[in-house]
């Protein structure tokens, strides 16, 4: 069984819980007191991940760090449908990879602003918010044009991929860092679609989808 070293309020940890839930994968959790305990910098945890970062998984002795890398691993190993990370489609894998990198940008901006406001990290919060808005504008426009072509997800596949999972949490949590989403209607619609996927789970600050609108 997979062991997830987890902090409940971490968007990067949530990504993994979200995908594992959608895949029907069982896991157990080892809570790590990120704040205020800074347990991710403790001696015992640094033996698991010398970078002192969450999340980390242990899958029968295979230890992996980095949320995006773990998403790739989980989808490759546990997705029987082969749709979350379609290894037989090089073009789509390239798309997914570029959006996984984009998700890292969201973490470096929207998540940084949230850490500043909620956990008192000493970041340049105005720069973080401005950076997040720039990325949100890019994604909102991309999703809007996709909708005009009949596409519901970030990549060109008919089904969601791990790119959607990677980008979702810190967008949903952005208002906790003073980054409102009202100017990004395509992002809001995409978030609602993702919330309706079977197996979707909530976390603090992320709520279920509202009632479906009548056609």
């Amino acid at each position: 069984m997979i062991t997830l070293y987890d902090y409940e309020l971490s968007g990067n940890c949530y990504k993994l819980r979200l995908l594992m839930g959608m895949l029907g994968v069982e896991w157990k959790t080892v809570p790590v007191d990120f704040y205020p305990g800074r347990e991710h910098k403790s001696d015992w945890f640094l033996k698991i991940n010398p970078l002192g970062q969450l999340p980390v998984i242990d899958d029968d002795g295979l230890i992996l760090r980095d949320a995006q890398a773990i998403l790739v691993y989980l989808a490759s190993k546990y997705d029987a449908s082969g749709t979350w990370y379609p290894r037989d489609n090089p073009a789509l894998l390239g798309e997914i990879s570029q959006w996984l990198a984009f998700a890292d940008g969201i973490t470096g901006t929207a998540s940084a602003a949230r850490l500043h406001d909620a956990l008192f990290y000493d970041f340049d919060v105005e720069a973080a918010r401005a950076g997040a808005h720039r990325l949100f504008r890019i994604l909102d426009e991309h999703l809007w044009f996709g909708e005009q072509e009949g596409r519901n997800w970030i990549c060109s596949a008919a089904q969601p991929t791990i790119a959607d999972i990677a980008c979702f949490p810190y967008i949903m949590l952005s208002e906790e860092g003073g980054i409102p989403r009202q100017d990004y209607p395509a992002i809001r619609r995409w978030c609602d679609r993702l919330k309706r996927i079977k197996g979707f789970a909530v976390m603090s600050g992320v709520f279920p989808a509202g009632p479906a609108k009548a056609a």
Side-chain angles (χ1 to χ4, degrees), residues 148-194:
Q148 310 317 301
E149 299 169 356
R151 190 182 72 233
N152 287 324
W153 309 107
I154 288 178
C155 294
S156 57
Q159 297 83 22
T161 68
I162 60 171
D164 297 280
I165 300 293
C167 291
F168 175 77
Y170 286 121
I171 289 176
M172 280 304 304
L173 296 167
S174 66
E175 293 187 356
E176 295 182 3
I179 304 163
R181 296 186 302 277
Q182 70 261 27
D183 292 334
Y184 309 110
I187 284 180
R188 297 200 309 272
R189 291 190 295 272
W190 164 75
C191 288
D192 187 72
R193 290 192 291 271
L194 198 147

Side-chain angles (χ1 to χ4, degrees), residues 13-113:
C13 293
Y14 174 54
K15 295 176 187 182
L16 308 187
R17 301 195 303 268
L18 194 55
L19 182 61
M20 289 190 290
M22 290 176 175
L23 293 177
V25 174
E26 294 185 356
W27 75 95
K28 61 182 179 180
T29 296
V30 175
V32 179
D33 184 8
F34 181 89
Y35 182 86
R38 291 182 56 82
E39 198 172 8
H40 58 301
K41 302 298 184 183
S42 65
D43 290 342
W44 76 265
F45 187 79
L46 290 174
K47 292 177 182 177
I48 299 169
N49 181 4
L51 297 179
Q53 297 171 347
L54 291 167
V56 175
I57 66 164
D58 181 339
D59 190 7
D60 290 329
L62 174 66
I63 296 176
L64 288 177
R65 63 176 182 255
D66 184 83
Q68 268 64 283
I70 298 171
L71 288 175
V72 169
Y73 170 76
L74 292 172
S76 298
K77 183 172 181 179
Y78 293 104
D79 175 24
S81 72
T83 59
W84 287 100
Y85 190 71
R87 289 172 291 169
D88 60 348
N89 188 331
L92 190 53
L93 292 182
E95 282 187 63
I96 292 171
S97 295
Q98 73 177 2
W99 288 102
L100 293 182
F102 188 88
D104 280 334
I106 297 173
T107 301
T109 55
S111 174

Side-chain angles (χ1 to χ4, degrees), residues 108-109 113 123-133:
T109 55
F123 292 143
D124 183 343
V125 70
E126 294 306 323
R129 289 171 182 155
H133 278 297

